[in-house]
Amino acid sequence: DDANQNLTGAMATLSARQCSELDCGAHGYNAVAAESDRTDSSDYSAVSHGTHVAGIVGASLAEGCGTEGAASGIGLLSVRTFDKTTGSLKKSDLVRACGWVRAARQDGVRICAVNISIDGSFGASYALNLAYRELVATDVAVITAAGNMFSDNDSTMALCNGTFAGKLVIDAMDADGEKANYSNYGKMTTDLFAPGTDIFSTVGSGSAALNAF
């Protein structure tokens, strides 16, 4: 939700030409065919997760208030893949989102990486893995979450599976530096651990909405 005061100044702005050619808004794209709204809700659910992660990465203080991201100063673009009304995700919408990012990169938008920290329990997808590889081929790093089902990705077919150069699969650790009790894992199919519990960051609904999850 780029209306959040700590994200407003962090959003990259596409030109009118780019918006026309890429069929998007000035700050991103909605890949969900049934809706045009890119904003998030204020509760922590599937449809506000992107705003929370965006704040962790690139939020900037607003008049000294709120929070600042780990890479504050970069430019963010939002790409919606979850249906805001139902909270559901279709693999086809995620593939469409990857295709938009690739097209934007080829159109000159300087996208360096995409965060796709969705649940790894949706099942594997040949089309999505191909979309990831096509992003990497255009010099866009792909960062995905291992999943939140406390399962071994080495023995299951998870949506995030398919570790290769240019793509990272991240497990979650808790505040004590231990593997979070919900996080998926895998010696062969995940790459590293990063903090994933009780992180204070932005949430949806604009204004100064912040919370820790």
Side-chain angles (χ1 to χ4, degrees):
D1 190 341
D2 49 46
N4 188 292
Q5 69 172 9
N6 292 126
L7 292 177
T8 301
M11 302 305 297
T13 301
L14 301 177
S15 68
R17 177 194 64 79
Q18 289 169 328
C19 291
S20 175
E21 291 182 356
L22 297 169
D23 191 24
C24 63
H27 303 307
Y29 175 70
N30 191 327
V32 183
E35 64 173 24
S36 59
D37 184 8
R38 287 190 300 107
T39 61
D40 277 347
S41 64
S42 59
D43 64 313
Y44 188 67
S45 62
V47 293
S48 66
H49 179 67
T51 296
H52 193 252
V53 173
I56 294 170
V57 175
S60 58
L61 291 173
E63 299 181 355
C65 298
T67 185
E68 188 166 82
S72 180
I74 66 169
L76 299 171
L77 290 171
S78 63
V79 181
R80 170 171 292 290
T81 56
F82 277 84
D83 188 295
K84 186 175 181 179
T85 302
T86 66
S88 62
L89 169 70
K90 295 179 180 178
K91 292 178 187 177
S92 58
D93 289 336
L94 192 51
V95 170
R96 184 181 300 112
C98 290
W100 181 84
V101 172
R102 181 166 58 91
R105 173 73 179 186
Q106 292 171 333
D107 195 50
V109 182
R110 295 180 61 189
I111 301 174
C112 298
V114 294
N115 173 77
I116 310 176
S117 52
I118 56 175
D119 194 329
S121 64
F122 287 99
S125 167
Y126 173 81
L128 189 55
N129 233 324
L130 178 60
Y132 290 163
R133 289 182 180 277
E134 289 176 340
L135 281 176
V136 170
T138 57
D139 294 325
V140 177
V142 176
I143 316 300
T144 66
N148 298 329
M149 303 298 291
F150 192 62
S151 61
D152 186 349
N153 284 0
D154 290 353
S155 59
T156 60
M157 294 299 291
L159 187 60
C160 64
N161 276 3
T163 300
F164 49 85
K167 177 174 177 285
L168 291 175
V169 181
I170 312 298
D171 308 310
M173 64 182 181
D174 61 23
D176 296 320
E178 301 293 332
K179 182 171 67 65
N181 59 12
Y182 55 83
S183 180
N184 288 13
Y185 52 92
K187 290 183 178 180
M188 301 297 294
T189 52
T190 69
D191 295 292
L192 54 89
F193 282 87
T197 306
D198 296 332
I199 299 176
F200 188 73
S201 186
T202 48
V203 291
S205 77
S207 185
L210 299 164
N211 215 328
F213 302 102

